[in-house]
Amino acid sequence: LARPPNKSATMVGSSPHPDENTPCSRPESREARRIVQTHIVTLSEEAGHGELAPSCPLSPHNDVLAAHEAAKRRLSGAVWKCGLCGKQFRSERHLDLHMHRKHADASPAGATSCLADECDLLRCPSWVKRLGDAAAACTEGALAVRREHCAALMHSCAF
């Protein structure tokens, strides 16, 4: 399966608001973060390996949006609160926009990974949905490229 165009790089639906040019899809990064936490970090800890290697793009220390996500508080239903300044919002989307505009400096120093960029390897639900009929166009060469990328990613995450 060829990697679909990098959604976060093309800005298609990637921003918290249609008018913003956010280089990393927050919704897809949330999906990827849940998968990484559930299937990679948890299994690593259970196996006694501890945290992911600092060189790993999937490590929470490298996640450009991790600090924003950690600072979000859901108060009730659709009411959200910014843990950095206390402002409240009627939707997570509006809180995302606020985080992007007002707290861009909250990302950890050196964080460079947009987890949404790995959705094809992690099988994020939104990526699987977009894949649709493109699976029929899968070639052996495209599959080899994805295998190589996956192996390199996992190697960088080795303990």
Side-chain angles (χ1 to χ4, degrees), residues 136-149:
C138 183
T139 66
E140 189 58 40
L143 207 54
V145 169
R146 288 190 62 213
R147 275 191 213 108
E148 186 176 314
H149 176 71

Side-chain angles (χ1 to χ4, degrees), residues 2-158:
R3 287 180 86 145
N6 181 335
K7 186 175 173 186
S8 61
T10 60
M11 308 296 171
V12 179
S14 63
S15 67
H17 189 273
D19 299 330
E20 287 297 315
N21 287 328
T22 302
C24 186
S25 168
R26 289 174 185 272
E28 287 186 14
S29 288
R30 277 191 282 275
E31 289 178 7
R33 194 173 297 104
R34 277 190 295 272
I35 293 167
V36 167
Q37 185 61 44
T38 303
H39 297 290
I40 298 174
V41 173
T42 301
L43 292 175
S44 170
E45 291 171 352
E46 288 174 359
H49 297 296
E51 291 186 359
L52 297 175
S55 61
C56 179
L58 302 177
S59 170
H61 304 291
N62 294 322
D63 181 354
V64 295
L65 297 177
H68 285 179
E69 292 299 311
K72 290 180 176 181
R73 303 289 181 262
R74 182 180 225 151
L75 300 179
S76 65
V79 179
W80 291 80
K81 181 178 180 177
C82 174
L84 299 174
C85 69
K87 190 170 180 177
Q88 290 187 16
F89 299 87
R90 293 184 187 204
S91 71
E92 185 177 21
R93 181 173 169 246
H94 288 108
L95 176 53
D96 283 342
L97 181 58
H98 166 78
M99 291 286 200
H100 174 71
R101 287 184 174 163
K102 302 295 183 182
H103 303 296
D105 60 343
S107 291
T112 58
S113 291
C114 172
L115 294 182
D117 291 344
E118 305 303 339
C119 270
D120 63 331
L121 298 178
L122 296 170
R123 300 284 200 222
C124 296
S126 59
W127 181 86
V128 171
K129 184 177 180 181
R130 268 194 329 274
L131 181 65
D133 294 332
C138 183
T139 66
E140 189 58 40
L143 207 54
V145 169
R146 288 190 62 213
R147 275 191 213 108
E148 186 176 314
H149 176 71
C150 184
L153 179 67
M154 290 299 108
H155 180 72
S156 71
C157 295

